[in-house]
């Protein structure tokens, strides 16, 4: 971790909603005048889209049902830790972009599903912001989590996470329900061993819990709306958190445990604004003092 060059990481699996959380942070950074270097977790996948398909076919031929984007075999954990270490030390490091869409790819004159070349992160930034699968990952002697100053988990209950993934992959990627289901099953081993443990290393977790029936996520016609959900916010260390203030600002909220607030799902953006704005103030104040010393 670094006072002078702090790192914030949003961690959640595919379909968890981390991209929406990133937009909330973009609003905070813009309002508070914070210059951030943004890094997407997908850019640290080991293989581009076509090569991943070939690797997947090869693993299936060899009866390996566990190869997935969630595990270390398909990701550059060492390189991600290296970026975090270098940024924390001197505010620099190398990253790239994964081109998800036709629009993104056209801007670089490349095919969709490919990576841009490695390049230095922008100079003179106030902090690095990561959004992806492995912001708090640990694998053997690789400890990505140890370099992150603020670790945030976005963890819908599993049925809701699957519903969101099913709807997204069918609508934006043209996958069938059967194909998405196969992906979920194949990823389960890595989900248990590499995704879930991260949420015990986060400083704050946001978990959306539907209050409508999601018993069979594979036939759900609609994603439960925020107003059809409750949001569970868990603080690993509640010291310094002004719970009375948060309860007064988040209407209809309550505390279910000494470190946990529950509020209506539609209040997620407001809750994040209230919780993270002062945390970013503190990170920036510490940085300012270190630069003046």
């Amino acid at each position: 971790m670094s006072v002078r060059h702090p790192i914030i990481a949003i961690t959640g699996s595919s379909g968890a909603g981390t991209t929406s959380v990133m937009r909330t942070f973009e609003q905070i950074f813009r309002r508070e005048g914070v210059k951030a270097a943004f890094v997407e977790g997908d850019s640290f996948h080991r293989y581009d889209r076509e090569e991943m398909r070939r690797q997947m076919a090869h693993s299936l031929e060899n009866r390996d049902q566990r190869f997935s984007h969630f595990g270390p075999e398909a990701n550059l954990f060492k390189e991600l830790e290296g970026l975090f270490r270098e940024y924390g030390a001197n505010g620099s490091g190398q990253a790239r972009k994964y081109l998800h869409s036709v629009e993104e790819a056209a801007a670089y004159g490349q095919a969709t599903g490919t990576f841009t070349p490695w390049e230095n992160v922008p100079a003179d930034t106030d902090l690095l912001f990561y959004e992806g699968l492995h912001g708090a990952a640990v694998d053997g002697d690789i400890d990505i989590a140890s370099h992150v100053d603020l670790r945030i988990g976005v963890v819908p209950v599993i049925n809701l996470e699957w519903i969101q993934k099913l709807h997204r992959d069918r609508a934006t990627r043209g996958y069938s329900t059967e194909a998405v289901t196969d992906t979920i099953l194949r990823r389960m081993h890595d989900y248990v061993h590499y995704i879930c443990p991260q949420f015990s290393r986060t400083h704050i977790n946001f978990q959306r819990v539907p209050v409508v029936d999601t018993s069979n996520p594979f036939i759900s016609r609609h994603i439960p709306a925020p107003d059809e959900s409750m949001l569970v916010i868990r603080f690993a260390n509640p010291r310094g958190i002004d719970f009375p203030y948060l309860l007064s600002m988040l209407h209809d909220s309550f505390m279910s445990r000494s470190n946990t607030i529950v509020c209506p799902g539609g209040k997620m953006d407001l809750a994040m604004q209230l919780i993270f704005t002062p945390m970013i103030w503190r990170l920036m104040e510490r940085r300012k003092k270190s630069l003046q010393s």
Side-chain angles (χ1 to χ4, degrees), residues 62-78:
N62 289 279
R63 300 180 183 277
D64 178 5
Q65 301 289 335
R66 296 180 176 180
F67 180 72
S68 81
H69 273 129
F70 287 177
E73 295 84 2
N75 291 281
L76 302 175
F77 283 1
K78 186 175 182 180

Side-chain angles (χ1 to χ4, degrees), residues 30 32 52 61 63 66 265:
R30 188 163 48 247
E32 302 301 327
M52 186 65 182
E61 287 174 4
R63 300 180 183 277
R66 296 180 176 180

Side-chain angles (χ1 to χ4, degrees), residues 219-281:
I219 63 168
S220 178
R221 298 180 62 185
H222 304 285
I223 299 174
D227 289 340
E228 297 175 315
S229 310
M230 297 299 288
L231 180 65
V232 179
I233 308 169
R234 189 272 298 174
F235 298 85
N237 182 3
R239 179 176 295 179
I241 303 299
D242 191 345
F243 289 108
Y245 171 71
L246 293 175
L247 291 171
S248 69
M249 295 296 292
L250 298 170
H251 187 60
D252 292 331
S253 63
F254 62 92
M255 295 190 68
S256 60
R257 289 187 177 178
S258 60
N259 66 341
T260 304
I261 286 181
V262 181
C263 70
K267 302 288 186 181
M268 183 168 180
D269 181 76
L270 175 60
M272 289 189 167
Q273 297 275 354
L274 294 170
I275 292 167
F276 293 127
T277 297
M279 290 183 174
I280 291 171
W281 287 343

